[in-house]
Amino acid sequence: MRTFITSALMICLTLSVAFAQSPVKGKISGKVNDAAGKSLEFVTMMLVKAKDSTLVKGAISDVNGAYEFEGIAAGQYRVAAQQMGFRRSFTDAFEVDAEHTTIQVPALQMSEESKSLTEVKVVAKKPFIEQQIDRTVMNVENSIVSSGSNALEVLEKAPGVTIDRQSDQLQLKGKSGVIVMIDGKQTYLSSQEVANLLKNTPSDNIEKIEIITNPSSKYDAAGNVGIINIRMKKNQNFGTNGTLTAGVGYGRFEKYNSALNLNHREGKINAFGNYSYFHNRRFQENEINRVIPYNGTVTYFDQKSYRPNNFDGHNFRGGIDYFISKKSTVGVLATGFINDWQQPNGINHSVMRNADREITMMPTTNVTVKNKWTNLTGNLNYKYDFNGKGRELTADMDYSRFNGDSYNNLVTRYVDANNQTVKPTENVRNDMPSAIDIWAFKADYVHPTKTGKFEAGVKSSYVQSDNDLVYQNLIDSRWIVDATKSNRFKYTENVNAAYASFGGKLSKKTSIQAGLRLEQTLSRGNSVTLNKIVDRNYLNLFPTLFVSRQIDTNNVLNLSYSRRIDRPNYQNLNPFVFYLDPYTYQQGNPYLKPQFTNSIQLTHVYKGAFSTSLSYSRTNDVIVNEVPGQIAEKNITYVTSDNLATQDNVSLTLSFPVRVSKWWNMQNNVTGYYNKFQSPYLGAQYNVDFVAFNLYSSHNFVLGKGISAELSGWYNSAGVFGFYRYQPQGAFSIGVQKSVLDKKGTLKLNINDPFWLNQFKGRANYQDINFAVNARWESRIVRATFTYRFGNQNVKAARQRSTSTEAERNRAGGGNN
């Protein structure tokens, strides 16, 4: 705690010095009109240097055509305006200095043009981490050290995000229940399967990652912590163009990836598509040391496992947008993946000792795992723009199909200290084919008013899953079905929702947005084999409120409140058992209840870059994964998911960039949080509270001659994941890149975790449960990536949209173990 306070004071001192040395800043304002003198709204305005048109700052004109740039350093500038259907326009040059800090630019007139717009050349690079008022954005495509890695490794660098590598759980500011979306579509996987999908998503396919801690009513109410939205790269240009990427890497094993992104836009049609392939051989090592008391004696159980695995993944995306008229656009979109994950020769060595530490038995289990998971999603969408002034209607219809097949074979030999057989060899296998179908529809309406904007929408989704686990024992050379361990589980869920929100200005300096979302949930979990049916029917309201106050030109205060829900994912509801060996397994829980969270957050933003956020939340019926259990008489330890009564969370986040010099930029983030769990569990009261923090710092260096470099590092203090207390973790990465082939190509080289610091160590100690876990994986990797851009590069963005399955697909099940 003392270390955290000292760090915070050092940061505040750094900020004070930075603020005290800030030069005089200017304010620039003006209006933009068409040739007839009519105000133009939602025009892209750019403040550029007069000398070379280098971008300084961007803005959007409001409904009256007005725009502002604040906090502008001394220098000579021009204002540029760019809008589809108009010629690009510039103002005359003007100067900001100590005597001219407030400048009113003459009205800028734009004339119509039928030809496509050419780009305004800007020389600017977004920082890797960008702190915006309502979210944190990681600009992955700009990062050198993230190139060639995967999405999970990138998320480890995100401020406030921690990942338990033992159970692959994501937490944000010390809270679990994060909803992960890809292009606004929820992936419908369990927490472990989400982590596996992210492990196998190449970072070179990612444009940016958005971390939204308090989403508005427009978003589904799922996710008590908030939303992590991964935006995949999408070509943004007129004509025919594309990007080709190829990369190789090596840690203990080889990895390589490739991707092709194509786009063609001409007239009323925009066609786009991309394909990527990712191969990754890797490993994970685990050590589990258990102390199991029973009937006045004790068993010491030490286990070591080594699990090498191979992954081959294919991802694809393609679609067509047809611009029927200036007001109407219709589009179709297809996305999917084929993931093949195999563990051909995993092995678990165990040693069991009695109270006198004498070896009683040494089981060894050889494990073979084969998982194949495929997905195909189709989307039909429509957009109608009523008047070109922001009033629009959008609608999406989706169907998504997941197919999976998980196969496990375990062969266990039992010997004593002299390697003599003490029990017959056990040979068991299980196969679990599964299928998930998702149908969804949503419609959203936006209506600007003189004082703000009104939004409303509806959504309905229906999900159906079927998992059939068949468990077999090899007896006398015949595979015999074990009915006590086999299980077929069916699950259906229908969620119907409607929302409305309004945002606008209460005064010149105060803005507000208030919304209300209504969701009805109907679900049925049917364990066919066990003859257990769990029906649920609940109706809930989810209010949101956002208030923003512009104190002065440099300071903004934002206050937000939201109520959210986190429903159990489909696989956690399935009571099937997944075995690591005969003494260690994972089991689902069909009686899991949804958890509800109320959150409030206050954020202060200084000069649009320095931010401080203080938040508090309370979660009821907290869903905790990896809850340990024990069958002491059989020396069995297992984990499951369960509900705890309450979790209280208080967090403080500081984000501040520092420009050390013209060639050296730094971004720093510090998050400290306090967590308190209270709940009855296993006949006793589980009460735990703790303070923890995490740090992130990135440094970008411009070295000249097309060469740049990046150094980044993160550190998570000791903390608690459910019932596990874990030790500190951290790592750093370093990379360099060079532009080649007339700036059409980029070559990147990076080293991730060169000293292999990123390892997990934790312990669970509650009631008679007492065990420690150490885990290592292949985090030390060297990678090289080459990217080549070809075709027409004139600026024109293809439209981005989210589909109607954005809140269902995150809970499906998926990919690999």
Side-chain angles (χ1 to χ4, degrees), residues 49 113 119 202 241 253 317 455 508 537 689 718 730 770:
K49 291 183 179 180
E113 180 183 48
E119 64 176 336
N241 44 71
F253 300 111
R317 171 190 175 100
E455 295 182 85
K508 185 177 180 180
N537 183 348
D689 61 339
N770 182 0

Side-chain angles (χ1 to χ4, degrees), residues 36 144 167 172 193 209 214 235 257 282 294 339 464 532 585 587 590 604 606 665 678 691 747 774-775:
I144 304 170
S167 59
L172 182 58
E193 290 160 339
I209 298 175
N214 260 356
N235 204 294
N257 63 284
R282 59 191 177 209
Y294 181 68
N339 290 340
Q464 178 178 289
K532 292 182 179 178
Y585 63 82
Q587 185 172 19
H604 170 245
Y606 180 79
N665 284 304
Q678 297 183 89
V691 174
L747 184 63
N774 296 335

Side-chain angles (χ1 to χ4, degrees), residues 343-529:
Q343 179 185 293
N345 52 358
I347 188 166
N348 301 313
H349 289 293
S350 300
V351 178
M352 302 169 67
R353 294 180 172 89
N354 60 23
D356 297 324
R357 303 285 181 143
E358 298 170 335
I359 295 176
T360 58
M361 190 162 56
M362 296 193 301
T364 298
T365 301
N366 294 90
V367 184
T368 300
V369 181
K370 297 179 181 180
N371 283 350
K372 187 169 185 179
W373 197 256
T374 62
N375 166 249
L376 179 62
T377 299
N379 166 257
L380 175 64
N381 56 86
Y382 176 76
K383 177 181 176 181
Y384 184 79
D385 190 337
F386 289 90
N387 53 15
K389 298 181 179 180
R391 184 182 170 210
E392 64 181 36
L393 174 69
T394 58
D396 286 87
M397 294 182 64
D398 284 75
Y399 170 71
S400 188
R401 170 82 175 187
F402 290 85
N403 283 300
D405 193 5
S406 299
Y407 170 83
N408 298 269
N409 181 226
L410 291 81
V411 180
T412 305
R413 295 179 61 246
Y414 300 89
V415 299
D416 59 17
N418 298 316
N419 203 33
Q420 298 299 309
T421 300
V422 295
K423 285 179 61 177
T425 297
E426 291 182 2
N427 193 341
V428 301
R429 70 183 184 186
N430 59 68
D431 187 38
M432 191 181 75
S434 57
I436 301 175
D437 294 281
I438 304 170
W439 296 265
F441 168 80
K442 74 169 185 174
D444 298 285
Y445 174 70
V446 180
H447 189 105
T449 68
K450 291 183 179 180
T451 57
K453 182 171 65 174
F454 172 77
E455 295 182 85
V458 294
K459 178 181 176 182
S460 181
S461 65
Y462 180 78
V463 180
Q464 178 178 289
S465 71
D466 189 350
N467 300 272
D468 190 9
L469 174 68
V470 178
Y471 191 97
Q472 297 175 306
N473 299 299
L474 185 63
I475 301 174
D476 296 331
S477 300
R478 295 177 56 201
W479 287 105
I480 307 299
V481 174
D482 187 342
T484 64
K485 296 179 180 178
S486 298
N487 178 55
R488 186 171 187 182
F489 181 74
K490 294 184 175 183
Y491 181 79
T492 59
E493 180 183 272
N494 174 221
V495 178
N496 301 299
Y499 77 91
S501 69
F502 179 80
K505 285 185 173 292
L506 294 179
S507 65
K508 185 177 180 180
K509 292 187 176 183
T510 303
S511 300
I512 188 171
Q513 179 180 303
L516 185 64
R517 188 178 185 92
L518 175 70
E519 289 193 354
Q520 178 198 36
T521 305
L522 305 167
S523 68
R524 164 171 280 208
N526 181 8
S527 180
V528 179
T529 308

